[in-house]
Amino acid sequence: MNETLRIIANRYSCRDYMPTPVPDDILSAIALAAIEAPSAVNAQPWHIIMVRDKELIADLDDEGMARLSSSSDKTSYNRIKERGGKLFYGAPCMAVIAIDGSRHGAPLDCGIVCQNITLAAASLGIASVICGLAGLPFTGPNGCEFERRLGFPEGYKFGCAVLLGYAKTPKAPHEPDYRKISYIG
């Protein structure tokens, strides 16, 4: 198996991080991999924000958990409470992908960026998890303030986030479900 396929096969979604910061050179390499993602008509409708500010991450976490706790469906809230009660699982870094809301393909392109981030991180020994729930703070009353604090460009909105750090407890990747593959011809 070649190195790329090995990284893909062994990558897993980490939900238990050590507080150890990710070194600058590794974050730079991950950020570069993010912006090297392909996009529809090469529009590159994203802005990558690498967040290491512990206070800002804590504020986003608190707001997200407050939004979850006020939801009538407590499934996600209860699951996160069972895993330690932190939306961002103690990750010391988060890559926030802001997307150009005027671009039709921006959400799909954002997903490709997230995949590049997770694979680059795994190749560099950094654990990750794609975290769509990181968008919750941007849907609440402080959403515009969070966009300002993160430096979203004008006209951009939250697309997705990827949590990054060193795993406290590494785990095995999920088992692939081969029934999800079909061949024709």
Side-chain angles (χ1 to χ4, degrees), residues 21 29 37 43 46 57 72 86 99 123-124 128 140 150-151 161 180-181 184:
W46 53 64
I57 292 171
S72 59
K86 293 291 184 186
I99 58 173
S123 77
L124 296 167
S128 67
L150 286 162
K180 303 287 184 173
I181 301 171
I184 299 173

Side-chain angles (χ1 to χ4, degrees), residues 11-12 36 79 88 111 125 131 134-135 144 148 157 159 164 167 174 176:
R11 195 216 144 267
Y12 66 95
E36 288 175 331
R79 186 172 181 187
F88 305 137
C131 186
C144 290
R148 184 197 63 73
K157 63 181 183 174
L164 299 163
H174 69 271

Side-chain angles (χ1 to χ4, degrees), residues 24-66:
D24 290 346
D25 61 326
I26 292 177
L27 284 183
S28 293
I30 294 169
L32 178 59
I35 63 171
E36 288 175 331
S39 63
V41 299
N42 198 29
Q44 302 176 35
W46 53 64
H47 185 83
I48 313 305
I49 304 155
M50 302 301 269
V51 183
R52 294 183 291 188
D53 180 320
K54 290 178 185 176
E55 182 179 328
L56 178 52
I57 292 171
D59 290 349
L60 287 163
D61 199 299
D62 291 345
E63 180 77 13
M65 287 302 290

Side-chain angles (χ1 to χ4, degrees), residues 129-170:
V129 64
I130 296 171
C131 186
L133 288 176
L136 287 171
F138 301 96
T139 65
N142 299 315
C144 290
E145 176 63 16
F146 284 124
E147 289 176 1
R148 184 197 63 73
R149 289 176 69 186
L150 286 162
F152 279 27
E154 183 70 32
Y156 280 60
K157 63 181 183 174
F158 176 84
C160 201
V162 180
L163 307 179
L164 299 163
Y166 294 99
K168 268 188 190 175
T169 313

